[in-house]
Amino acid sequence: SSYLSPPSPSPPSVPAPFAAMRAADASGRQKILIIGPCEAGKSTIANVLAEASESATEAYRPTVGVRILECETEIRSIGQRVTVELWDVSGNYQMFQKCWPAIKQDAAGVVLVYNPEKEKHEQEIEQWFQWFPRAMNMSTNQVLVFQSLRRSDVPRRMPLPAKLANAGVGQPCAVPADDLVSARKHFGSFLEVVRQTVLDKQRQEEEDVMKGGNL
């Protein structure tokens, strides 16, 4: 598919007017990656966030490469609707790791999804954090953690894995199977923070470019 082709190289410097245009575009469209181990419930949560579904399907169907969904979400702090691209990334890293550079390109935030009821998921989600947000030099404000819970007899929220907690990642949001739509509220709040973080970073980049030009 075309969206899996390697990204074209970006120009070495961004003139101030174009940087401003890029910031304006960031305020109107956001690319968010949904990542985590296999069978974590990433596609189910992506469907719910995109308002394509409100419940999980019975059969598990692994994502091939990446699946892109688009939705509109209101950013309440500015009273504006933004278009969100949800990139639902396959948990099969051995097969699709070669696609990651294109997937990471221009991403504004990352949603980590895992099921703490599964024995190896805590260790695996720590690895996904290293592969994506950490490798992409994202701030912890650009990371949201969803715990996808299948059983009703477990605590509503489990402790965050140690490496994520030590890195300063915020508390996880539990998404039980009987209340999947609760993910939308958490995601809406997350988008507000992501938008502001991206704009702040771009403003700092512009200031650094201007300072460099005045030397």
Side-chain angles (χ1 to χ4, degrees), residues 77-162:
S77 60
I78 58 171
Q80 178 183 333
R81 295 185 72 79
V82 298
T83 300
V84 181
E85 288 181 8
L86 298 170
W87 287 53
D88 174 21
V89 181
S90 171
N92 187 345
Y93 59 89
Q94 294 101 328
M95 187 173 291
F96 299 111
Q97 203 164 356
K98 64 183 179 294
C99 304
W100 286 359
I103 289 170
K104 291 177 178 180
Q105 180 83 353
D106 298 327
V110 168
V111 177
L112 294 167
V113 181
Y114 76 106
N115 180 354
E117 301 157 9
K118 291 184 179 286
E119 186 180 344
K120 295 182 179 179
H121 269 208
E122 285 204 5
Q123 185 178 345
E124 289 182 32
I125 203 65
E126 290 177 336
Q127 186 63 67
W128 282 94
F129 174 73
Q130 297 293 334
W131 284 334
F132 277 80
R134 180 56 61 81
M136 296 164 72
N137 199 30
M138 285 185 167
S139 79
T140 52
N141 287 340
Q142 292 168 277
V143 181
L144 173 65
V145 180
F146 277 140
Q147 294 180 337
S148 178
L149 306 176
R150 310 288 170 80
R151 301 193 341 239
S152 57
D153 61 334
V154 297
R156 279 301 191 185
R157 187 173 73 188
M158 311 281 271
L160 197 65

Side-chain angles (χ1 to χ4, degrees), residues 19-208:
M21 287 169 60
R22 190 179 62 178
D25 182 62
S27 68
R29 175 178 287 269
Q30 300 284 8
K31 174 180 174 179
I32 305 293
L33 309 183
I34 300 179
I35 62 172
C38 292
E39 297 188 56
K42 298 183 295 295
S43 294
T44 296
I45 285 178
N47 288 340
V48 170
L49 294 179
E51 301 189 10
S53 172
E54 294 193 357
S55 61
T57 55
E58 293 296 324
Y60 169 67
R61 291 192 297 273
T63 299
V64 177
V66 64
R67 196 175 59 110
I68 303 173
L69 295 86
E70 197 168 281
C71 62
E72 279 200 354
T73 303
E74 184 176 0
I75 304 292
R76 293 184 179 178
S77 60
I78 58 171
Q80 178 183 333
R81 295 185 72 79
V82 298
T83 300
V84 181
E85 288 181 8
L86 298 170
W87 287 53
D88 174 21
V89 181
S90 171
N92 187 345
Y93 59 89
Q94 294 101 328
M95 187 173 291
F96 299 111
Q97 203 164 356
K98 64 183 179 294
C99 304
W100 286 359
I103 289 170
K104 291 177 178 180
Q105 180 83 353
D106 298 327
V110 168
V111 177
L112 294 167
V113 181
Y114 76 106
N115 180 354
E117 301 157 9
K118 291 184 179 286
E119 186 180 344
K120 295 182 179 179
H121 269 208
E122 285 204 5
Q123 185 178 345
E124 289 182 32
I125 203 65
E126 290 177 336
Q127 186 63 67
W128 282 94
F129 174 73
Q130 297 293 334
W131 284 334
F132 277 80
R134 180 56 61 81
M136 296 164 72
N137 199 30
M138 285 185 167
S139 79
T140 52
N141 287 340
Q142 292 168 277
V143 181
L144 173 65
V145 180
F146 277 140
Q147 294 180 337
S148 178
L149 306 176
R150 310 288 170 80
R151 301 193 341 239
S152 57
D153 61 334
V154 297
R156 279 301 191 185
R157 187 173 73 188
M158 311 281 271
L160 197 65
K163 288 182 181 176
L164 272 65
N166 292 340
V169 175
Q171 284 298 308
C173 302
V175 183
D178 57 359
D179 189 20
L180 290 172
V181 294
S182 64
R184 291 176 189 160
K185 181 180 72 174
H186 298 301
F187 186 67
S189 301
F190 172 63
L191 279 181
E192 296 208 28
V193 176
V194 165
R195 174 189 169 277
Q196 192 57 53
T197 301
V198 169
L199 291 176
D200 288 346
K201 278 189 174 184
Q202 290 172 343
R203 197 172 294 117
Q204 186 62 52
E205 285 173 12
E206 267 188 74
E207 289 177 7
D208 292 344

